[in-house]
Amino acid sequence: MPAGAEVNGAAPALPRAHGDAVLRARSRTVAEDFFVEELPGFAASGSGEHLLLTVEKRGMNTAHAAERIAAWAGVPAAAIGYAGLKDRRALTRQRFSVHLPKRRLPDLGALAREHGDERLRVLEHAWHARKLPRGALAGNRFALVLREVDGDRDLVEARLQAIAAHGVPNYFGEQRFGRGAGNVGQALAMFGGRRVRRDERALLLSAARSELFNRALAARVARGCWDRALDGEVWMLDGSRSVFGPVPHDAEIARRLAGFDIHPSGPLWGRGELRSAGEAAALERAALADPDALALRAGLEAAGLKQERRALRLRPDGLRWHWPDARTLALEFALPPGAYATAVLAELGQIEDAQRRAPSREAGVAEAPGEG
């Protein structure tokens, strides 16, 4: 079964690094149970033609909020910039930029919207010299509440301590694969000749790449080597997309690995040869050798994507937790861009998303909160 596939609406059946589930719980009983705050990658310049807005939104994803902001400012969609995608099923804070060549500040109060589950309001604004580009964020801070927790508290505490000390596998979250985990199948259909819109094509290429990465990572988790060196390893610098290697494993590599300065990496598939070698490359090829994986590989290569790498290991920064009551667990941590909070929660156990089956009023597939 594909790594991103769902079983009866459950989370993807990916192997855990720290052992069997230690709890069952519900997340997002209300949107405020999943709070995400974008960490800015830079300070506003204070001048320029782009209005930089920090907004708080509830019940709407990034694309929907961008549409609202464009309509409010009377500008085309292309005039709106944002650094990362945030889901509808959360309370989120993030930045948007609005290109206003005449530097006329629209009525900020008129942008505020509150209707049913939807809420949008401006927290801060400043002028800036350039449009906010994708990826221009330092990361995301999360405050999550799990309710109806069923599990041994001592085991849950031990698991959280293990996550804080050793990190978790850096899986792409299930949100990357669309409603019902259907994006991978749609990607295979696209590679087989089905025509899709340009924006849909980008999502399907991303899902196909993520599926292959998750499979390669799952193979290493199953073998217990997701956080240690293999022969032929390619290393990624923490907090960066820079990679180096393969290099011989020595005391310096071991020291940097133990200090979370570097992480083993896995393939983001595309044209060209795998950068990994030896045992690492052999494991990656074996994990991606079944017919569906070969079709995804071929489709990504034909689409012109190039081989890249992604860290296999993720350590939440500043992980803290407390128990408001015996069956409620509150968590706080920060993640780098491109990382998923659901990858952290999955190491605890079976987390039911209370809003998973809630009907959406928005078109398209939302990315996970925390995907930069």
Side-chain angles (χ1 to χ4, degrees):
M1 177 176 292
E6 291 194 351
V7 181
N8 297 325
L14 296 167
R16 294 187 182 88
H18 298 295
D20 293 337
V22 294
L23 60 71
R24 297 181 66 92
R26 286 167 60 87
S27 71
R28 300 203 245 207
T29 303
V30 295
E32 286 77 6
D33 284 352
F34 210 111
F35 173 76
V36 191
E37 181 178 24
E38 199 170 82
L39 302 176
F42 60 86
S45 64
S47 62
E49 298 181 343
H50 295 266
L51 181 62
L52 198 59
L53 302 173
T54 300
V55 306
E56 181 179 271
K57 52 191 180 62
R58 181 189 192 275
M60 64 178 70
N61 66 18
T62 299
H64 188 49
E67 292 173 2
R68 297 286 182 191
I69 293 170
W72 160 77
V75 298
I80 308 299
Y82 48 83
L85 293 168
K86 304 292 182 289
D87 198 357
R88 176 179 64 91
R89 302 168 299 165
L91 178 65
T92 65
R93 293 176 183 170
Q94 71 175 118
R95 278 176 160 184
F96 291 85
S97 67
V98 188
H99 188 206
L100 298 170
K102 296 182 180 180
R103 283 179 52 89
R104 291 179 179 172
L105 182 65
D107 180 4
L108 296 174
L111 179 58
R113 175 185 174 86
E114 189 162 357
H115 179 72
D117 288 339
E118 291 187 348
R119 185 172 76 209
L120 178 67
R121 63 190 181 100
V122 178
L123 302 179
E124 297 178 1
H125 69 279
W127 291 103
H128 189 59
R130 295 183 298 276
K131 181 178 181 179
L132 184 59
R134 290 293 295 273
L137 69 163
N140 293 280
R141 184 176 67 84
F142 296 85
L144 313 180
V145 179
L146 302 182
R147 302 186 188 276
E148 301 177 33
V149 177
D150 182 12
D152 183 281
R153 185 160 173 169
D154 289 340
L155 293 179
V156 174
E157 293 275 344
R159 179 62 53 85
L160 287 167
Q161 291 166 6
I163 291 171
H166 304 291
V168 300
N170 191 23
Y171 289 123
F172 284 102
E174 63 194 61
Q175 301 92 329
R176 177 61 71 97
F177 303 103
R179 297 186 183 93
N183 284 3
V184 175
Q186 292 182 48
L188 287 168
M190 178 180 69
F191 295 151
R194 177 188 171 192
R195 296 179 64 84
V196 300
R197 301 188 313 271
R198 180 178 297 181
D199 59 336
E200 185 180 2
R201 179 178 182 272
L203 286 172
L204 297 182
L205 290 174
S206 177
R209 224 179 188 195
S210 302
E211 169 72 9
L212 295 176
F213 176 86
N214 275 8
R215 290 189 185 204
L217 175 52
R220 291 192 59 157
V221 173
R223 290 183 51 173
C225 58
W226 63 280
D227 60 348
R228 63 179 179 84
L230 296 180
D231 174 57
E233 195 75 69
V234 177
W235 299 98
M236 178 161 282
L237 298 178
D238 185 60
S240 167
R241 294 185 179 181
S242 298
V243 297
F244 68 95
V247 294
H249 187 251
D250 58 17
E252 177 62 11
I253 290 291
R255 182 191 67 79
R256 297 180 68 184
L257 175 63
F260 286 84
D261 179 49
I262 58 175
H263 308 283
S265 69
L268 293 173
W269 203 269
R271 289 179 178 176
E273 294 295 321
L274 280 172
R275 180 157 179 167
S276 55
E279 185 182 7
L283 190 153
E284 290 169 2
R285 291 193 180 96
L288 307 179
D290 67 86
D292 280 353
L294 292 173
L296 292 173
R297 287 166 53 178
L300 290 167
E301 291 170 16
L305 278 71
K306 297 180 180 179
Q307 286 280 346
E308 297 180 276
R309 306 292 291 185
R310 172 180 168 93
L312 297 181
R313 183 175 64 167
L314 168 68
R315 185 168 68 166
D317 183 41
L319 176 60
R320 297 180 296 177
W321 63 89
H322 68 279
W323 299 82
D325 60 58
R327 299 198 66 196
T328 304
L329 175 61
L331 305 162
E332 293 185 20
F333 54 87
L335 297 178
Y340 287 78
T342 48
V344 179
L345 295 182
E347 281 296 318
L348 293 173
Q350 301 294 330
I351 312 295
E352 178 188 353
D353 187 337
Q355 298 193 34
R356 179 190 297 275
R357 293 186 177 88
S360 173
R361 294 183 295 276
E362 301 164 19
V365 179
E367 296 283 350
E371 213 282 331

